[in-house]
Amino acid sequence: MSLTALSTFKALSAHFENVKEMHMKDMFANDPERATRYFLKVGSLCLDYSKNRINDETLKLLRDLAQECALERKIEAMFSGEKINATEGRAVLHTALRNQSQEKVRVDGEDVMPKVRDVLARMADFSDALRCGRWLGYTNQIITDVVNIGIGGSDLGALMVCKALKRYAHPRLNMYFVSNVDGIQIQSVLDKIHPETTLFIVASKTFSTQETLTNALSARAWFLAHAHDEVHIAKHFVAVSTNKQAVQDFGIDTKNMFEFWNWVGGRYSLWSAIGLSIMIYLGKENFQELLEGAFEMDTHFRSTPFEHNMPVILALLGVWYVNFFDAGSHLIAPYDQYLRYLPRFIQQLDMESNGKRTTLKGEVVNYDTGPIIWGDLGINSQHAFFQLLHQGTHLTPIDFIASLSKEGNLPGHHEILLSNVFAQAEAFMKGKDYQEAYAQLIEKGVPPEQACVIAPHRVFSGNRPSNVLLLDAITPNSIGNLVALYEHKIFVQGAIWDINSFDQWGVELGKELAKDILVQLREGNAQSFHDSSTQHLINLYKIYNKGVLHADQE
Ligand code: F6P
């Protein structure tokens, strides 16, 4: 049965009609317990979800929807290794990568935990050797620079965690991430490093991603231009992949390969060998804490009734806004500088997972699914695009994310930062009505006839929802909590929307066409099957690069 035909969905539609005009300002005024009732703490994370357009009835109906969508069974199916990624026939077991219990996790009857632990142990040995200076380059020099070459899930998670936890980094090591096939990026890294003291990690689940392999080949050529002998590659290139054969074909000894498995989705892979750069940079103890933080959230998610279940609550709130308020996007606004890569990471995690329009049965949905996820550092965004969020015509739910602990030593900064988080959430909720705006103008001495004209521009409708997520501090453990929270939120939404959150067929068409276009860009006379616009652009590029004509002369 389609989601919209479920009795619980219909009950929510009816309820929406009753509550859609209610203002949160009044809800707070009439309910002194609201802030404490709509508050949760799990591990190092506090969630204040009181500034949402909900009441107890809304939450109950949303939980009923989750029940009717068999969420409990679906959660268990994921954790126990059922092949819930149906379009690829795969289990989805990023949770096994951080499983700290003795529970066996079976895929096709085989317990995957021994091999998970085995790869973690190999990663730990390797990162220990590199960090303490036992792993030397081909001229016996200590490694000082590490370059992770990967893209999407083989880049963003590790990049985000390394930046977030920079404070814990090994003082000798510089960590670089190269993802763009625009040669400028890798060139600018190569300009800073030296072949004798650099380790390249080629990170690719499939080991067939064009951008990654192109960058890796350029790194290899640069290295060999200095080292000359291919035998030295073994000291300076390691691979992280699920594809042994492709790693071998590329010329990396599989002894220098750290494996993971097809039941780990790319965007869910930072806990696997894809996290090698994290482990090298931060050390095995901090990587372990990261895993423990995620496991803590896994345990909470798997065993806590929906009423107190943080990922479930966040997910249901998202469904409420997407499917009833027509909210097309969702903002991630971290305030801590260390978390600046979080929006990009969550963007891939969420949009590649829930950007789907076909149900598991293959039918096109008649309701909206994953919203556009976007975001940036909140404090900078206040001076950039928050205007539209406050006074524009779209409803955009926001996650404000900040740390309760001061991260720097400079006096005064942290209080200012947090005062802005709390103030923004309050402003979005309360707004400012005409009377208030008018009275403020009069108080400032603006003549009444002018105040009447200006006041409407100073009105904020308010009633704009947000969650405030506060980390005790930015630690490996809290980052583990936080990432797992979003992973499970996304899972719950996919379960309700009845889509497969774990494939990504939508990225394939562009890849196929790019291969074909590349041939045309490189070889003059390849036959073309493109539309006239695409063909025109191809011709323009060729003409431009022959230096015959400039684009504007064509
Ligand atoms: O093109 C999308 C995608 O497949 C992502 O899902 C993945 O994270 C990224 O490309 C990189 O893929 P790989 O790790 O196989 O190089």
Side-chain angles (χ1 to χ4, degrees):
M1 204 191 280
S2 160
L3 174 69
T4 51
L6 298 179
S7 61
T8 50
F9 191 94
K10 290 182 181 160
L12 272 163
S13 302
H15 173 71
F16 173 70
E17 291 307 318
N18 294 335
V19 299
K20 66 182 182 194
E21 303 299 342
M22 284 184 188
H23 203 292
M24 283 189 275
K25 203 166 52 174
D26 303 320
M27 296 184 188
F28 272 97
N30 298 331
D31 179 3
E33 308 287 303
R34 187 175 171 90
T36 44
R37 206 167 61 257
Y38 298 158
F39 180 88
L40 276 177
K41 177 146 174 78
V42 178
S44 318
L45 299 184
C46 294
L47 168 67
D48 174 357
Y49 62 101
S50 62
K51 296 191 188 79
N52 279 290
R53 290 171 71 168
I54 51 165
N55 58 25
D56 291 351
E57 178 69 2
T58 323
L59 287 170
K60 184 198 165 294
L61 292 172
L62 285 166
R63 290 195 300 270
D64 291 348
L65 176 71
Q67 296 287 4
E68 197 172 3
C69 294
L71 179 60
E72 229 165 301
R73 184 177 56 68
K74 290 177 182 173
I75 294 173
E76 239 357 81
M78 175 173 72
F79 275 94
S80 58
E82 275 182 42
K83 296 195 173 168
I84 60 168
N85 175 356
T87 56
E88 296 181 306
R90 293 174 181 172
V92 173
L93 279 176
H94 41 282
T95 51
L97 300 168
R98 59 232 190 179
N99 173 22
Q100 305 293 307
S101 76
Q102 291 314 308
E103 192 191 346
K104 291 185 163 71
V105 185
R106 291 200 163 83
V107 176
D108 292 328
E110 181 203 351
D111 178 17
V112 299
M113 287 314 301
K115 56 188 189 188
V116 167
R117 293 190 191 109
D118 181 50
V119 173
L120 277 173
R122 284 192 58 226
M123 288 165 64
D125 286 348
F126 180 71
S127 61
D128 274 354
L130 197 131
R131 287 165 63 85
C132 78
R134 257 187 297 121
W135 180 279
L136 299 172
Y138 75 98
T139 55
N140 285 333
Q141 295 208 53
I142 284 178
I143 300 295
T144 53
D145 297 281
V146 179
V147 184
N148 187 86
I149 302 179
I151 197 165
S154 300
D155 169 66
L156 288 167
L159 168 67
M160 183 277 289
V161 173
C162 287
K163 297 291 179 187
L165 299 172
K166 192 174 187 319
R167 212 153 55 88
Y168 297 80
H170 193 295
R172 190 187 75 239
L173 293 175
N174 301 308
M175 178 64 68
Y176 302 93
F177 288 85
V178 171
S179 54
N180 194 343
V181 76
D182 182 345
I184 295 294
Q185 192 188 19
I186 189 153
Q187 190 58 60
S188 70
V189 172
L190 296 178
D191 289 346
K192 286 186 208 131
I193 57 180
H194 196 277
E196 291 169 36
T197 52
T198 298
L199 177 85
F200 292 95
I201 302 173
V202 186
S204 174
K205 179 175 169 180
T206 55
F207 230 77
S208 65
T209 303
Q210 190 187 38
E211 296 86 339
T212 300
L213 296 189
T214 306
N215 279 325
L217 280 172
S218 294
R220 189 176 188 270
W222 172 84
F223 174 76
L224 284 176
H226 192 91
H228 303 298
D229 193 340
E230 290 196 3
V231 80
H232 298 318
I233 286 180
K235 298 265 185 199
H236 293 269
F237 282 77
V238 298
V240 176
S241 187
T242 59
N243 188 344
K244 253 190 188 157
Q245 189 57 52
V247 168
Q248 219 161 20
D249 294 348
F250 182 83
I252 296 181
D253 189 336
T254 47
K255 275 198 277 183
N256 287 342
M257 170 181 166
F258 296 86
E259 197 188 359
F260 64 115
W261 308 275
N262 72 12
W263 42 262
V264 181
R267 52 195 173 273
Y268 296 86
S269 65
L270 73 87
W271 325 98
S272 72
I274 287 289
L276 182 63
S277 49
I278 305 176
M279 202 190 267
I280 290 174
Y281 195 46
L282 307 178
K284 66 179 181 212
E285 294 80 8
N286 287 318
F287 193 80
Q288 173 61 21
E289 263 198 50
L290 183 78
L291 298 182
E292 284 169 17
F295 179 67
E296 186 173 26
M297 187 55 72
D298 294 344
T299 309
H300 164 81
F301 176 54
R302 195 176 180 181
S303 60
T304 308
F306 293 167
E307 200 174 347
H308 305 292
N309 192 313
M310 201 184 271
V312 172
I313 289 173
L314 275 188
L316 292 176
L317 291 169
V319 167
W320 179 231
Y321 295 120
V322 167
N323 297 118
F324 298 93
F325 287 85
D326 291 331
S329 82
H330 188 106
L331 182 79
I332 306 292
Y335 273 65
D336 288 68
Q337 187 68 15
Y338 282 132
L339 298 181
R340 66 193 178 282
Y341 288 93
L342 187 70
R344 264 207 240 168
F345 167 72
I346 296 178
Q347 190 173 54
Q348 184 201 10
L349 194 64
D350 199 321
M351 292 173 75
E352 212 174 58
S353 296
N354 286 342
K356 314 281 163 69
R357 63 200 291 271
T358 312
T359 67
L360 287 166
K361 284 211 185 84
E363 286 152 8
V364 174
V365 294
N366 62 350
Y367 46 86
D368 283 328
T369 60
I372 293 165
I373 304 293
W374 59 298
D376 200 351
L377 282 175
I379 198 80
N380 300 21
S381 310
Q382 286 176 208
H383 299 275
F385 55 75
F386 267 34
Q387 166 61 38
L388 180 144
L389 303 177
H390 279 293
Q391 289 191 310
T393 53
H394 301 281
L395 180 91
T396 307
I398 302 170
D399 290 352
F400 291 102
I401 304 170
S403 157
L404 285 166
S405 305
K406 292 187 180 62
E407 300 292 339
N409 295 326
L410 296 178
H413 287 246
H414 196 65
E415 291 79 5
I416 296 177
L417 193 71
L418 276 249
S419 69
N420 274 279
V421 176
F422 302 158
Q424 287 294 328
E426 186 175 25
F428 280 113
M429 183 277 283
K430 266 191 182 160
K432 187 193 282 184
D433 62 22
Y434 179 86
Q435 279 73 23
E436 249 178 299
Y438 180 82
Q440 282 180 347
L441 286 165
I442 296 295
E443 210 176 301
K444 279 189 189 149
V446 177
E449 57 286 8
Q450 216 180 324
C452 287
V453 178
I454 300 171
H457 297 279
R458 299 196 174 203
V459 168
F460 293 66
S461 61
N463 219 10
R464 298 184 179 217
S466 67
N467 297 303
V468 177
L469 258 171
L470 297 171
L471 289 70
D472 285 352
I474 298 181
T475 63
N477 189 275
S478 69
I479 295 295
N481 286 167
L482 185 68
V483 174
L485 168 67
Y486 276 96
E487 288 178 345
H488 295 320
K489 172 200 162 176
I490 291 162
F491 170 83
V492 171
Q493 294 189 330
I496 289 180
W497 289 323
D498 193 26
I499 53 180
N500 181 1
S501 302
F502 300 103
D503 62 12
Q504 57 282 319
W505 299 108
V507 299
E508 293 304 322
L509 177 59
K511 283 189 197 171
E512 283 163 26
L513 293 176
K515 264 190 211 153
D516 187 45
I517 292 173
L518 181 62
V519 176
Q520 291 200 37
L521 294 184
R522 285 184 174 163
E523 295 163 22
N525 349 326
Q527 216 187 340
S528 173
F529 302 98
H530 299 286
D531 62 88
S532 61
S533 158
T534 308
Q535 192 57 54
H536 185 236
L537 296 169
I538 292 170
N539 295 344
L540 203 58
Y541 177 86
K542 283 189 185 165
I543 291 167
Y544 191 89
N545 279 286
K546 267 190 194 149
V548 177
L549 281 176
H550 281 292
D552 56 356
Q553 291 174 299
E554 208 255 355

